[in-house]
Amino acid sequence: MTNLLKPGKTIGIIGGGQLGQMMAMSAKEMGFVVGVLDPTPNCPASQVADWTIVAAYDDAEKIAELENKSDCLTYEFENVNSQVLAEKVPLSKLPQGLELLKISQHRGREKTFFETLGLPMASFSLVETKEELVNGLKKIGTPAVLKTCSGGYDGKGQVVIHHEEEIDEALLLVAQGECILEEWLEFSKEVSVIVSGTTGGTYEVFPIAENEHRHNVLYQTIVPARISQGCEEQAKEIGLKIAKELQVSGTMTVELFVTEDERLLVNEMAPRPHNSGHYSIEACNISQFDGHIRGICGWPLPKIYLHQPSIMVNLLGDEMTRSEELISEKPNWFFHYYGKEAVKPGRKMGHITMLTEDVSQTEAEIKATKIWNQRG
């Protein structure tokens, strides 16, 4: 394979959080040199990288320095500046390209892209003015959810409108910039499809994950998702359709809603590994991070399989500290701590993965620890 990046070459990662850290760990296992750019000194990824550039994500001069010192560039999240990348990084060094990034950075472009592919999803309307918001509510009905087109995550940058009269808070969001109004969906569960692709144009799909959120933040992921085989196959088809259309290199994620009658509706996508895929580190023959590094470096991907059903639970704020008391009690649990210096409420500090033969029993075991009770 002519475009295969060999061990000893340097991978530059834009973003030094936990996703960058786990990317770096996979890259180091494969023999690569790893550099990181992040505004935070001693960020999680810098703790395992060979060198770090401390700079803002949109610092054009420092992005150029990262590019100059690297043979291949990638990013750990979508809030990087695509314009700076376009100006400072040749596409030959950015295997993921820019199209997937640009689409996923803007909810309006994302929904329009899904619509172009004929994918099932909620009704939506783009909103920049009060008049467009009012007309959108007449078209979509209530309840509806208004989201900023860019910058929001984990429930931030959005507001639910239960009645047409309740638009004052929504207008504050509109004042910040372009928004998207979406039909409020009643669904039984959310699932995510994680796909890894290579620069050679081959793709592999990870087992479908079932996600539970609490207060708009991912609480736990159960794999395999408790859905029918037909629903599972359709979810994989949707993930592959998107990945192939965008010629994805590395790992990407598609989140979908599942209705009571097992219809699938596409919600959003991420141009990178995802929180819901952390289970793959222990539960699969390769992790989503291995798939990402293999993909951007042109390495072939093996057929992905699940060793054993699993549950992954996030650790936020002081949940991390309380979980440390379980280390000596739970030898079969896999504890991951990200090395973040500041412990803050709601901040992702780590995760725990449990391989299991009985999901219900393991859920009961998790509940019995009382660590996560405050999340409801």
Side-chain angles (χ1 to χ4, degrees):
M1 191 177 294
T2 56
N3 59 347
L4 185 147
L5 195 68
K6 295 182 179 180
K9 298 294 186 180
T10 299
I11 298 174
I13 302 173
I14 304 171
Q18 64 266 22
L19 296 179
Q21 182 188 66
M22 288 180 270
M23 282 182 194
M25 292 168 75
S26 286
K28 292 301 296 179
E29 285 184 353
M30 296 179 204
F32 293 104
V33 176
V34 176
V36 170
L37 183 144
D38 192 272
T40 306
N42 199 37
C43 62
S46 72
Q47 297 164 26
V48 297
D50 294 280
W51 47 265
T52 304
I53 297 172
V54 179
Y57 303 124
D58 59 354
D59 187 323
E61 181 181 336
K62 294 299 184 180
I63 292 288
E65 180 184 341
L66 181 71
E67 182 274 323
N68 187 56
K69 297 176 68 174
S70 305
D71 298 290
C72 171
L73 258 63
T74 186
Y75 43 81
E76 70 145 4
F77 69 153
E78 51 270 40
N79 291 331
V80 297
N81 192 308
S82 56
Q83 183 176 343
V84 171
L85 290 184
E87 293 172 356
K88 298 297 181 180
V89 181
L91 285 177
S92 60
K93 283 192 176 182
L94 195 67
Q96 293 158 278
L98 289 171
E99 190 65 16
L100 172 60
L101 178 63
K102 288 178 180 178
I103 292 172
S104 60
Q105 284 180 329
H106 189 277
R107 287 191 173 101
R109 287 195 293 266
E110 186 177 63
K111 293 293 185 184
T112 302
F113 170 71
F114 293 155
E115 189 175 53
T116 300
L117 289 184
L119 300 177
M121 61 180 181
S123 299
F124 71 94
S125 181
L126 295 176
V127 172
E128 292 187 79
T129 66
K130 179 178 180 179
E131 182 182 7
E132 288 176 344
L133 177 59
V134 171
N135 290 338
L137 287 170
K138 289 178 181 177
K139 168 189 167 186
I140 293 172
T142 55
V145 58
L146 184 75
K147 303 176 182 178
T148 55
C149 276
S150 57
Y153 66 97
D154 287 345
K156 298 177 177 65
Q158 65 182 52
V159 60
V160 178
I161 304 171
H162 298 92
H163 305 285
E164 286 188 29
E165 295 78 14
E166 299 177 346
I167 65 170
D168 289 345
E169 184 180 357
L171 287 173
L172 294 176
L173 208 60
V174 174
Q176 296 176 25
E178 189 177 8
C179 294
I180 186 167
L181 184 71
E182 297 179 13
E183 171 190 5
W184 179 264
L185 294 174
E186 295 294 337
F187 58 93
S188 63
K189 61 188 62 173
E190 181 198 275
V191 298
S192 53
V193 185
I194 296 174
V195 183
S196 289
T198 73
T199 53
T202 60
Y203 305 89
E204 293 292 339
V205 184
F206 285 83
I208 307 301
E210 176 184 332
N211 304 318
E212 179 185 342
H213 290 77
R214 295 185 181 179
H215 306 295
N216 296 310
V217 178
L218 182 63
Y219 160 60
Q220 73 173 12
T221 295
I222 296 173
V223 183
R226 293 168 292 188
I227 54 178
S228 68
Q229 184 177 349
C231 188
E232 177 185 348
E233 290 174 354
Q234 185 186 358
K236 288 183 177 181
E237 287 173 5
I238 289 172
L240 280 171
K241 186 172 187 177
I242 293 171
K244 289 178 179 178
E245 177 69 21
L246 293 170
Q247 298 180 330
V248 166
S249 294
T251 296
M252 68 160 292
T253 309
V254 182
E255 296 177 62
L256 309 101
F257 295 130
V258 184
T259 64
E260 288 290 346
D261 57 354
E262 289 215 319
R263 290 183 300 116
L264 286 171
L265 298 167
V266 180
N267 180 31
E268 60 187 12
M269 63 183 182
R272 50 166 174 80
H274 193 261
N275 193 173
S276 64
H278 293 347
Y279 76 90
S280 61
I281 296 172
E282 284 85 23
C284 295
N285 55 317
I286 69 167
S287 74
Q288 62 168 343
F289 303 101
D290 297 333
H292 184 73
I293 299 301
R294 282 174 171 262
I296 63 172
C297 294
W299 291 27
L301 294 165
K303 182 73 176 176
I304 297 168
Y305 59 84
L306 188 70
H307 291 307
Q308 196 172 346
S310 65
I311 300 179
M312 186 282 302
V313 187
N314 268 334
L315 293 168
L316 306 182
D318 69 346
E319 293 170 356
M320 179 196 74
T321 305
R322 287 153 57 206
S323 75
E324 292 171 355
E325 300 171 5
L326 294 177
I327 292 174
S328 60
E329 300 175 22
K330 305 289 186 182
N332 295 321
W333 288 16
F334 297 91
F335 295 81
H336 295 256
Y337 298 105
Y338 304 146
K340 295 180 179 179
E341 294 180 341
V343 178
K344 300 177 183 177
R347 190 182 194 192
K348 293 173 184 174
M349 304 300 297
H351 72 269
I352 301 173
T353 299
M354 307 91 167
L355 303 186
T356 179
E357 295 180 356
D358 188 326
V359 167
S360 296
Q361 181 178 323
T362 301
E363 283 192 295
E365 188 179 356
I366 292 167
K367 187 176 181 179
T369 68
K370 299 182 179 180
I371 289 174
W372 295 273
N373 286 5
Q374 64 184 17
R375 283 206 246 173

